[in-house]
Amino acid sequence: MEIFFHEISVSTRQRIEIVDITRQVEEAVTKSGVKNGLCLIHAPHATAAIVANENEYGLINDIVRKVEEVFPIGAGYQHDRIDDNAHAHLASAFIGSSRIFPVKNSRILRGTWQNVFLVEADGPRNRRVVVEVLGE
Ligand code: ZN
């Protein structure tokens, strides 16, 4: 079994932002040479998350709105006493900082309307996303 690590750099411009990283993930899988296995996409951050869904302009805005609704900024959280980003920690904790896709015939197995996104919850920042490909 081969294990391959790749790192993606993402710069965000908004406090809450959804960034499509599908192309970079697919390039990493191609570079890995792995034909069949698993692809882990992981954001090593406590205030960001990874999701998979459709890259449609309205839906991207809907996801941003939902993150803001469910995890409102400055809603009296205890962590805001020492830092002003409790909403972002909560978004990361509950949405999750990683996703796993099957790799089949050298491609991640995803639906036509299923792209991979970094969810920035405390931007703007420079973020790293780790892509680990396991298989043969
Ligand atoms: Zn914090």
Side-chain angles (χ1 to χ4, degrees):
M1 185 181 73
E2 299 295 321
I3 301 175
F4 175 87
F5 278 97
H6 185 80
E7 209 168 279
I8 296 170
S9 298
V10 181
S11 294
T12 60
R13 276 168 257 142
Q14 310 293 329
R15 187 110 196 237
I16 312 287
E17 184 176 342
I18 310 294
V19 182
D20 192 326
I21 56 170
T22 311
R23 185 179 53 79
Q24 294 96 314
V25 169
E26 291 191 327
E27 283 171 6
V29 172
T30 301
K31 262 176 73 179
S32 75
V34 169
K35 286 197 169 72
N36 296 294
L38 292 173
C39 176
L40 166 72
I41 301 128
H42 175 65
H45 301 287
T47 55
I50 302 291
V51 296
N53 219 286
E54 182 178 356
N55 189 352
E56 188 276 318
Y57 178 77
L59 183 62
I60 297 298
N61 289 335
D62 293 337
I63 294 172
V64 169
R65 196 178 84 184
K66 183 52 75 177
V67 170
E68 289 169 344
E69 271 174 24
V70 176
F71 310 104
I73 294 169
Y77 306 114
Q78 293 189 24
H79 181 66
D80 286 340
R81 290 181 305 194
I82 59 155
D83 205 356
D84 66 348
N85 62 357
H87 69 281
H89 287 276
L90 291 169
S92 176
F94 286 94
I95 297 168
S97 57
S98 58
R99 289 287 191 272
I100 299 172
F101 282 78
V103 174
K104 192 178 179 197
N105 298 327
S106 306
R107 312 254 346 225
I108 58 169
L109 216 170
R110 63 182 179 92
T112 308
W113 312 117
Q114 194 176 36
N115 284 23
V116 186
F117 301 94
L118 171 75
V119 179
E120 173 62 78
D122 193 30
R125 282 179 190 236
N126 293 318
R127 298 292 198 174
R128 295 184 299 136
V129 177
V130 173
V131 180
E132 183 179 6
V133 188
L134 304 167
E136 45 196 27

